[in-house]
Amino acid sequence: MENVTHTVVGLMLARTGLEKTTRRGAAMMMIAANIPDIDGVYYFVDAQRYIEYHRTYTHTVLCMPVMALLAMLLVRAKYSWRAHVAATIAVFSHLVVDWVTFYGIPMLLPFSTHRFRLDIVRLYDPWISLILFGCLFMTKLFETRGIGAPGAARRGFAWASLALFLAFATWRMTNRERAIATLSAKTYEGVTPRRVTALPIPTHPMVWRGIVEGDGIVALTEVDLTREFDPASARVYRPAPRSPAMDAALATQPFQVFAEFAESPFAQQESTPEGTLVRLTDLRFGAPEAPGFVTVSAIVDPTGKVLHAGFGAYPLPTHPR
């Protein structure tokens, strides 16, 4: 998730009592809750490196103690095993908060490249923000009015925010299973679903975006769990079949990086004055006509030579060369 959420989760963990493990404990916890995202520097390199290296080793269970030590160094915290454990808990919170998204993290690297994801929130979720900032507001209100024993509001609402976060995530998981069951029970232009993905819509916790994959088709739709679902409302697409041009594109490094990351790839192919345009899109982040940021393209000439391969939607030439 985005770093504001990570920061507030780190603050709430600090207020449960973990900030007392060292001087500047709250700062340590907030930094530790964000420190795995140091690999986000690849965003300023290029899209391929960002997809390839962001949320990799810094987001693993194996590297949590190292990430915790780095956070301690940044705030110049005095080392103790209690402070180190507290910082490690904050780093672990980052992994958990990223785990619930549909971007996913390979938290068991180097032993497994599997990306763990729960598909229950997007990069930003207004309902989680409401929980966290609502508890911050209530803490301030209680402290301003002198309600309760000193420090009780900080600890109480910190624990409440974390408990509500987990309760919301559990409820979302239940709704996701309902959405998948609803999508799986229908046919789409006579095709039975082979694989179904349900992704959250941030503005409405009961509405899910469905990606339905079947033999020769992909259907994109929305399912509102408060209403009867009509599969006829789905937009049905037909991915391009394998071809020599596509095989040539798939052999390039950008396409191999994409294949390691993508969960719902969709292939498109069309003729251009230069040759054949091959494009793969991850439907988790967009639609074929509006692919979003996870797209890889290649131009393959008639002899099978790849003229271009890289992340992004390759611009079609206006004049033949």
Side-chain angles (χ1 to χ4, degrees):
M1 295 186 71
E2 37 70 43
N3 293 99
V4 173
T5 298
H6 286 302
T7 302
V8 180
V9 169
L11 176 61
M12 291 304 192
L13 284 169
R15 289 183 173 185
T16 64
L18 294 176
E19 62 186 343
K20 296 179 181 179
T21 57
T22 184
R23 290 185 303 167
R24 297 180 289 275
M28 178 190 73
M29 294 294 289
M30 288 187 286
I31 291 174
N34 283 280
I35 202 70
D37 276 343
I38 58 173
D39 59 9
V41 68
Y42 287 104
Y43 178 84
F44 301 101
V45 180
D46 59 50
Q48 179 177 322
R49 298 295 182 272
Y50 183 74
I51 294 297
E52 189 172 6
Y53 297 120
H54 180 49
R55 291 191 179 180
T56 53
Y57 279 97
T58 63
H59 287 70
T60 62
V61 173
L62 187 66
C63 289
M64 286 196 308
V66 178
M67 294 290 101
L69 279 175
L70 181 56
M72 295 176 71
L73 287 172
L74 288 174
V75 298
R76 298 193 301 175
K78 183 178 180 181
Y79 182 83
S80 70
W81 72 266
R82 293 175 69 247
H84 193 187
V85 168
T88 302
I89 291 172
V91 174
F92 181 64
S93 78
H94 187 107
L95 271 61
V96 171
V97 173
D98 279 354
W99 179 24
V100 302
T101 69
F102 59 76
Y103 197 102
I105 53 171
M107 66 174 72
L108 295 184
L109 280 176
F111 310 106
S112 171
T113 59
H114 174 73
R115 281 186 174 266
F116 292 85
R117 58 192 183 91
L118 293 182
D119 291 351
I120 57 175
V121 298
R122 299 180 71 90
L123 179 65
Y124 169 73
D125 193 291
W127 307 102
I128 291 175
S129 293
L130 182 63
I131 290 171
L132 295 174
F133 284 98
C135 287
L136 282 176
F137 173 78
M138 293 303 295
T139 300
K140 186 66 175 178
L141 181 65
F142 272 54
E143 290 181 337
T144 301
R145 298 192 176 184
I147 302 174
R154 284 169 61 88
R155 290 190 301 273
F157 283 111
W159 282 111
S161 68
L162 298 174
L164 288 170
F165 186 113
L166 292 176
F168 176 76
T170 302
W171 180 64
R172 268 280 177 87
M173 290 173 65
T174 302
N175 284 344
R176 176 178 172 272
E177 292 304 314
R178 287 179 56 197
I180 289 176
T182 300
L183 292 163
S184 300
K186 305 293 184 179
T187 61
Y188 303 81
E189 295 191 354
V191 178
T192 301
R194 176 171 38 86
R195 182 171 180 262
V196 172
T197 303
L199 303 174
I201 300 295
T203 54
H204 198 313
M206 300 298 286
V207 178
W208 294 77
R209 178 174 178 263
I211 305 172
V212 182
E213 300 172 57
D215 292 335
I217 67 117
V218 175
L220 301 182
T221 187
E222 287 189 0
V223 54
D224 186 339
L225 297 178
T226 65
R227 301 178 182 179
E228 185 71 23
F229 173 62
D230 180 12
S233 63
R235 292 170 291 156
V236 176
Y237 301 87
R238 286 171 173 76
R242 289 291 289 265
S243 67
M246 190 174 296
D247 289 338
L250 290 171
T252 65
Q253 186 181 14
F255 276 71
Q256 290 173 357
V257 170
F258 176 90
E260 284 288 324
F261 174 81
E263 293 290 343
S264 299
F266 182 85
Q268 295 170 281
Q269 185 173 293
E270 61 183 281
S271 297
T272 74
E274 293 180 300
T276 302
L277 169 66
V278 179
R279 179 179 295 155
L280 290 182
T281 298
D282 191 337
L283 295 178
R284 291 179 298 166
F285 301 94
E289 67 274 13
F293 85 103
V294 185
T295 304
V296 65
S297 305
I299 292 289
V300 183
D301 73 11
T303 68
K305 180 181 178 181
V306 178
L307 303 178
H308 158 88
F311 275 75
Y314 185 70
L316 296 177
T318 55
H319 302 286
R321 293 184 179 178

